[in-house]
Amino acid sequence: MKQFIFGILFIFLTTAVQGGIQYQLSDFMKEDTAAGFGYVNIDNNSYFKANINPNFNLKGLQVGLGIDLYIPMGDYGYPKSADWLTLRYLGYDYQKKHGFKYGRLSNVTLGQGLLVDGFDTGSGGTSEFNNQKTGFLGYLTVLKTKVTALQTAQNVQGLRVERPLLELASTPVIVGATYMRDEDGVNDDSSGTLVTRPAQDGYAADVSYPIGGQFFTLYTEYAKLVDHGQGVSSGARGTFFDIVDYKAEYRVLGTDFVPGYFNNAYQSTAFNFSEGALKEQVSGVLVNATSDIMGEYAKAGLQYELYDDVNVLTAALGWKQIGPVTGVLNYSKPFNSENNNAILVGDFYYRTAKFYDLVIRVKRVYVSSNEFTESVGFSVVFKIDRLLPNLPI
């Protein structure tokens, strides 16, 4: 071992399916943080936190545990929205055909994104990871038919089936069907702001044709929110030389429909159909582009949707060490015809060149364009190799 580190780990797990734009601090880190201590704010109270995050690899089975201790810094008890023991990650994959993942799942897109676009099981509540922010994603391929199933701790369930239907010009035409359901809706005030959504389910059907392989794929999708509206999208997506990923599509959205309803801000922003859904049929465009703007050192991405006077925006920026700081910024403004609800999350790793480093997270949940609630957490990463550089560790 080159070094022994005491530090905090902000837990982010991503799925293999591509969806809305969101980056994780761990994607840009050179250091490994296996244990830690620091200050966190949970349920509007302050705590000293100590944790250890052991990871295991058992013949291809990836396991990550979390053991956390929260000591109140005032006259109040243990935080209700925190867990002392968490299963951070559990996963296995066989040639991307069969496997499963458990933990905080983000960037989960089922189909082409008109119904389920970058869904995140852990975006709600405070910045602290707990067992209520987890989900299970399993996938199985039999006779060219791939089945994907999702179950979250918040009772959101998803199912997708896809398979090649026929070949045109030696290229398969792929058909798929998706179903998504939130069994009991969202009712969460742990962040300091009450977030509510009704129970809801929806379904979608899509056809894709990768006529240009990874470079150019044509697709179309139909989606319906049960007891509400429906929409249709058609477009193209692909990759330029493994540098730029793009997506562009045209959408026609019916009355009382919400595109990408199950998205990366689903658990953290309130919504009700009577105020936020479309009041009339509209058409619009979606554009999405991500790029490794500095090779492996920095990435940036943006997705923008415009339907008359309703706009939706997600954007992300992440960078490896520039000066003393590694960081990611994630911004999301979901669909809502009545307000400017948005989320901004910044995660930063600051190297002091002393015997410790700092990890800082700032999360803002906007109620309007200029009103928000904010939670901040920070920790100290104690670097023994700097304090005692001659130790053989």
Side-chain angles (χ1 to χ4, degrees):
M1 238 179 108
K2 175 72 176 175
Q3 57 191 14
F4 185 76
I5 303 172
F6 285 103
I8 193 170
L9 179 61
F10 291 116
I11 304 303
F12 298 100
L13 299 174
T14 59
T15 71
V17 279
Q18 183 175 345
I21 299 170
Q22 189 177 59
Y23 295 150
Q24 321 302 337
L25 184 61
S26 58
D27 296 338
F28 300 88
M29 289 288 296
K30 296 183 296 183
E31 293 87 350
D32 179 28
T33 53
F37 61 91
Y39 160 88
V40 294
N41 185 276
I42 307 174
D43 303 332
N44 295 318
N45 295 322
S46 298
Y47 296 87
F48 176 83
K49 176 184 177 180
N51 73 324
I52 182 170
N53 300 310
N55 299 308
F56 309 94
N57 187 335
L58 305 174
K59 295 184 178 180
L61 180 67
Q62 305 292 324
V63 183
L65 300 177
I67 302 172
D68 303 291
L69 174 65
Y70 297 91
I71 301 175
M73 300 177 68
D75 188 19
Y76 38 82
Y78 201 83
K80 295 181 180 179
S81 60
D83 295 313
W84 73 270
L85 177 63
T86 57
L87 178 56
R88 298 183 293 107
Y89 180 74
L90 182 68
Y92 178 81
D93 175 76
Y94 177 74
Q95 298 180 350
K96 297 184 179 180
K97 294 182 178 181
H98 319 291
F100 67 91
K101 297 182 179 183
Y102 173 89
R104 177 175 177 175
L105 306 176
S106 60
N107 290 340
V108 177
T109 294
L110 301 178
Q112 309 302 325
L114 190 60
L115 178 68
V116 184
D117 183 27
F119 181 73
D120 186 341
T121 65
S123 65
T126 69
S127 60
E128 288 297 287
F129 176 77
N130 60 46
N131 290 317
Q132 290 300 304
K133 295 187 176 187
T134 61
F136 174 88
L137 182 73
Y139 44 97
L140 177 69
T141 305
V142 179
L143 299 177
K144 297 184 179 180
T145 299
K146 184 174 183 179
V147 179
T148 303
L150 171 70
Q151 173 69 56
T152 80
Q154 298 288 338
N155 288 322
V156 178
Q157 296 130 16
L159 179 68
R160 175 166 174 79
V161 180
E162 64 180 29
R163 66 166 289 120
L165 180 64
L166 53 87
E167 285 194 0
L168 294 177
S170 301
T171 301
V173 176
I174 301 169
V175 298
T178 301
Y179 178 75
M180 194 77 164
R181 178 191 184 198
D182 185 348
E183 188 172 319
D184 49 18
V186 179
N187 187 3
D188 181 14
D189 61 358
S190 61
S191 68
T193 300
L194 178 62
V195 176
T196 59
R197 284 179 181 261
Q200 182 62 49
D201 55 348
Y203 56 86
D206 63 279
V207 180
S208 60
Y209 183 43
I211 187 172
Q214 292 186 348
F215 175 74
F216 187 72
T217 295
L218 294 171
Y219 63 87
T220 187
E221 185 170 34
Y222 165 84
K224 167 73 175 177
L225 292 171
V226 176
D227 296 328
H228 295 285
Q230 58 192 349
V232 178
S233 66
S234 296
R237 53 180 166 80
T239 300
F240 286 110
F241 308 109
D242 294 324
I243 298 176
V244 177
D245 294 332
Y246 72 90
K247 178 179 180 180
E249 66 182 52
Y250 178 75
R251 291 177 164 183
V252 179
L253 310 178
T255 303
D256 211 26
F257 182 71
V258 180
Y261 182 75
F262 297 95
N263 57 31
N264 63 348
Y266 179 84
Q267 300 284 5
S268 55
T269 54
F271 185 87
N272 68 76
F273 283 88
S274 62
E275 296 180 359
L278 290 167
K279 305 301 186 295
E280 59 183 12
Q281 178 174 303
V282 300
S283 59
V285 295
L286 175 148
V287 291
N288 175 311
T290 61
S291 175
D292 298 341
I293 55 179
M294 294 177 61
E296 297 180 352
Y297 294 96
K299 296 181 180 181
L302 182 145
Q303 177 170 297
Y304 182 70
E305 304 167 52
L306 179 62
Y307 315 99
D308 294 341
D309 57 348
V310 179
N311 63 83
V312 183
L313 174 66
T314 59
L317 174 66
W319 64 93
K320 290 188 177 181
Q321 185 173 352
I322 299 178
V325 178
T326 295
V328 293
L329 293 169
N330 287 293
Y331 176 85
S332 176
K333 178 193 176 297
F335 183 96
N336 196 312
S337 64
E338 292 295 321
N339 59 52
N340 291 314
N341 285 355
I343 302 170
L344 176 64
V345 179
D347 292 293
F348 310 96
Y349 187 95
Y350 181 81
R351 299 165 183 84
T352 67
K354 299 179 181 179
F355 62 90
Y356 63 89
D357 292 338
L358 301 175
V359 183
I360 304 166
R361 159 172 268 215
V362 180
K363 179 179 180 180
R364 289 184 175 182
V365 178
Y366 286 83
V367 179
S368 64
S369 57
N370 55 9
E371 182 181 356
F372 59 86
T373 59
E374 182 176 277
S375 61
V376 179
F378 74 88
S379 65
V380 176
V381 180
F382 184 41
K383 307 295 288 289
I384 289 184
D385 63 321
R386 296 182 192 164
L387 181 65
L388 301 169
N390 294 324
L391 285 179
I393 57 174

